[in-house]
Amino acid sequence: MPLTTREVQTLDSAHYMHPFTDHKALAAKGARVITRGEGVYIWDSEGNKIFDGMSGLWCVNVGYGRKELVAAAAQQMEVLPYYNSFFQTTNVPAAQLAERIVSLAGERFSHVFYSSSGSESNDTIVRMVRHYWTTLEQPERSVIISRKNAYHGSTMCGASLGGMSGMHAQGGLPIPGIVHIEQPYHFGLAPDQDKDAFGIEAAGWLEQKILEVGPEKVAAFIGEPIQGAGGVIIPPKTYWPEIQRICDKYGILLICDEVICGFGRLGAWFGSELMGAKPDLITFAKGVTSGYIPLGGVVVGKRVADVLIEKGGEFNHGYTYSGHPVACAVALANLDIIEKEGLVDRVRDETGPYLAQHFAALSDHPLVAAAETFGMVGGLVLMKDKSQHLVFDEALEVGMLCRSHCFANGLIMRAVGDRMIIAPPLACTRADIDEMMKRVRICLDATLKDVQLRGWM
Ligand SMILES: *Cc1c(COP(=O)(O)O)cnc(C)c1O
C-alpha cells in the first residue's frame, strides 16, 4: 500500500529538515509531495498535474522521463558503479566527458575538475585560484570580488562568494578575502538611466573595488552571466565586455559561474560566449546531467591549467565523488540528447525568441512593470503602480501571493521578492510555451484580483 499524502507529510515534518525552509510554517500546512514527472510536467501525490516552469531548480533541461538517461545510468552501474580518481586512476566516462566539455567550451580551455554540485565547484575555484597565484609567487593575490545578490551556492565558500544578505547573516559569512560590488540591475537601480551607459557604470564598480583593495591583492572576479536565483537579472549588453576589459587591464582571473547559464539555457553552450566575456574558469553543474544525478565541476582554461600542471605540484583537493562514473555516463547521454535534438540552436533561434515575444506582451498587464527573457530564462516585475514606478510594501509579499496562485493553477513559477521568474525545460515546444503562458496569465489575473480585493492597489 502506498503511503497517503498525509502520512508522507507526517514523516516529512517529523524527520526531514529541508533546505531553505521555515519548518514551523511548513509543518502548519504540510509539504507538497511530488511523485512523478513526464516531459515538462510533474504530478503531486493528490494527482495534480503541474507545468514545471522552473525545470526543477533550473536543471531538468531535457525534461522528465528520458529513458536514455535511465539506461545510461543502469548500464554504467552494472559495469562499474563507482571508482575514485585519486591515486592515479581514472574511468572511461569521466575521461570522455572531460574531453567533450572542453571541446564545447572552446579552445581557451583544456581541463575539467569534477565535483558533485555547483557549491563544491565554487569551493574548488576559490582554492584553485589562490593556489594558482601562489604558484606564480604572488600569494598576496587572494581577494576574490563578487557581487551583491549573486548566487554561488550554499557551502562556506559558495555562500561567501554569493551576495545574499540573508545567507551572510547565518554562520559567520563571508569568509575572509571575499568582497562584493553592486549588481548590474538596471530596472532596480537606475531605470531612468540609459541602459548601455548604466552597464558601463556598473562594470566600473569593479575597477573602483580593485583600486580600493589594491590591484596587487586581487585574484579574480566571479559572476553569473545572467544572475539566476537573484531574480533573473539580465545585464545591459555593455556590461560584460567592460568587465572583461577591466579584468584584462589588471591581469585578474575572470570566473563565470555557468551553473544555470551553461549547457544551452541561454541559446549557446555557455552563456559567457553570448555576453562577450572570456572566462579563465567556468563553474558548471545542474544542466550538465539535466539534474538526473548530481554532477558539477570547473572547466579550467589553459592560462590556469598550464601553470598548475607545470609548476603547481600536487593540488591537495578533491572529492570522493570527483569524476563519478555513473554521473559522467548520464552527462554524456544528456549531451547526446541536447545535440541530437538541436536544443541549443532551438533555444537560440526558435523557442527563445518565441518566449521573448510572449513575455514582452505581458507588459499590457496592470501588475507587470517589466518583463524580459534571454533564451529560456525570464523575469517579470510586479508593481503597485507602474506608471509611477511604485513598488508594493515588501511585507505584503505580493510575489509569494502570486506564487501560491501559480501552484493552485498548475504552474511552477518562482518569486524573488516581487520578481516572478521562470526557466522552463529547454525541450519546451512552442505548444508547451503557449500552455505555460496561458497559465502565467491566469495566475497574474488571480493575483491582481486578490491584490485589489485586499485594497493593496
Ligand atoms: C544552483 C547554483 C549554484 C549551486 O549549485 P548546487 O548544486 O546547489 O550546489 C551555484 N551557482 C549558481 C549560479 C547556481 O544557480
Side-chain angles (χ1 to χ4, degrees):
M1 266 283 280
L3 299 179
T4 65
T5 301
R6 194 69 217 127
E7 284 167 339
V8 178
Q9 288 171 333
T10 303
L11 294 179
D12 181 82
S13 81
H15 303 294
Y16 182 14
M17 206 177 255
H18 295 220
F20 289 96
T21 295
D22 175 340
H23 284 85
K24 215 168 185 177
L26 178 64
K29 63 185 232 241
R32 181 183 288 262
V33 183
I34 305 301
T35 51
R36 190 163 78 80
E38 185 63 42
V40 297
Y41 291 95
I42 53 173
W43 280 261
D44 69 16
S45 53
E46 297 294 292
N48 295 304
K49 180 181 176 185
I50 306 162
F51 191 108
D52 187 3
M54 282 304 298
S55 309
L57 273 180
W58 326 80
C59 53
V60 187
N61 289 356
V62 297
Y64 296 90
R66 292 290 194 150
K67 302 274 186 294
E68 303 94 310
L69 302 190
V70 180
Q75 196 181 11
Q76 184 59 44
M77 278 198 188
E78 286 190 14
V79 176
L80 181 72
Y82 174 76
Y83 201 73
N84 68 74
S85 301
F86 293 33
F87 318 130
Q88 308 195 338
T89 57
T90 189
N91 66 75
V92 180
Q96 283 181 316
L97 180 64
E99 186 277 333
R100 188 115 168 235
I101 290 175
V102 163
S103 74
L104 293 174
E107 60 170 18
R108 274 198 329 285
F109 296 88
S110 62
H111 286 74
V112 171
F113 191 101
Y114 290 114
S115 74
S116 302
S117 70
S119 302
E120 287 174 344
S121 305
N122 283 328
D123 278 52
T124 295
I125 279 181
V126 169
R127 297 199 55 203
M128 190 182 274
V129 302
R130 288 177 177 170
H131 181 45
Y132 167 82
W133 286 115
T134 302
T135 303
L136 288 178
E137 293 172 10
Q138 297 179 56
E140 67 286 356
R141 272 203 192 249
S142 66
V143 176
I144 299 173
I145 301 176
S146 181
R147 301 178 299 181
K148 292 182 185 163
N149 201 36
Y151 189 77
H152 297 298
S154 201
T155 52
M156 293 296 278
C157 283
S160 294
L161 290 171
M164 302 284 181
S165 50
M167 293 175 77
H168 288 178
Q170 298 170 342
L173 303 180
I175 59 171
I178 294 175
V179 296
H180 298 81
I181 59 172
E182 190 51 84
Q183 60 181 334
Y185 183 19
H186 177 253
F187 186 80
L189 294 174
D192 298 328
Q193 192 179 348
D194 173 74
K195 206 167 176 181
D196 289 344
F198 173 78
I200 299 286
E201 185 184 332
W205 300 330
L206 172 61
E207 185 158 27
Q208 280 173 21
K209 186 58 89 176
I210 291 170
L211 295 173
E212 184 190 314
V213 172
E216 71 292 346
K217 293 196 183 122
V218 180
F221 173 74
I222 183 169
E224 302 154 81
I226 288 176
Q227 286 158 262
V232 183
I233 311 295
I234 303 169
K237 64 181 185 308
T238 49
Y239 180 76
W240 275 107
E242 181 66 3
I243 289 283
Q244 181 68 57
R245 189 189 67 76
I246 293 167
C247 288
D248 290 344
K249 180 174 170 189
Y250 295 96
I252 71 176
L253 294 168
L254 177 60
I255 307 156
C256 282
D257 183 337
E258 300 241 20
V259 169
I260 289 174
C261 298
F263 299 104
R265 181 147 294 278
L266 302 188
W269 281 103
F270 292 96
S272 46
E273 286 168 39
L274 298 172
M275 299 289 151
K278 293 188 164 53
D280 300 296
L281 297 159
I282 291 176
T283 319
F284 68 91
K286 293 189 174 129
V288 68
T289 55
S290 285
Y292 278 59
I293 196 164
L295 180 69
V298 180
V299 199
V300 186
K302 290 173 185 162
R303 177 180 172 190
V304 174
D306 289 353
V307 168
L308 292 184
I309 289 166
E310 277 307 308
K311 297 190 254 171
E314 182 171 333
F315 184 28
N316 299 315
H317 173 77
Y319 307 104
T320 300
Y321 298 129
S322 286
H324 194 289
V326 179
C328 292
V330 171
L332 285 165
N334 181 57
L335 297 181
D336 286 344
I337 293 178
I338 296 174
E339 277 177 7
K340 209 168 62 210
E341 298 184 4
L343 293 183
V344 179
D345 292 350
R346 199 162 103 194
V347 167
R348 186 191 61 212
D349 300 332
E350 192 195 331
T351 48
Y354 191 62
L355 179 67
Q357 261 175 34
H358 270 289
F359 250 64
L362 286 176
S363 59
D364 68 4
H365 196 279
L367 267 181
V368 178
E372 213 184 357
T373 66
F374 201 119
M376 281 288 129
V377 295
L380 59 87
V381 188
L382 304 175
M383 263 193 184
K384 183 184 169 84
D385 183 344
K386 57 179 165 181
S387 64
Q388 309 280 329
H389 207 84
L390 279 183
V391 297
F392 287 107
D393 182 351
E394 238 176 83
L396 300 176
E397 300 198 328
V398 173
M400 295 304 266
L401 181 70
C402 181
R403 193 185 71 166
S404 51
H405 282 297
C406 292
F407 263 131
N409 286 286
L411 173 67
I412 293 194
M413 244 204 309
R414 181 160 156 185
V416 178
D418 291 345
R419 284 184 72 83
M420 302 305 300
I421 60 179
I422 53 141
L426 311 188
C428 264
T429 60
R430 282 173 182 245
D432 291 329
I433 292 172
D434 288 341
E435 179 59 36
M436 180 178 78
M437 294 309 296
K438 196 176 95 194
R439 294 180 191 217
V440 167
R441 289 260 178 199
I442 291 171
C443 301
L444 287 172
D445 289 344
T447 308
L448 177 64
K449 212 169 132 196
D450 214 347
V451 163
Q452 285 170 336
L453 220 94
R454 297 173 193 218
W456 294 347
M457 196 172 164

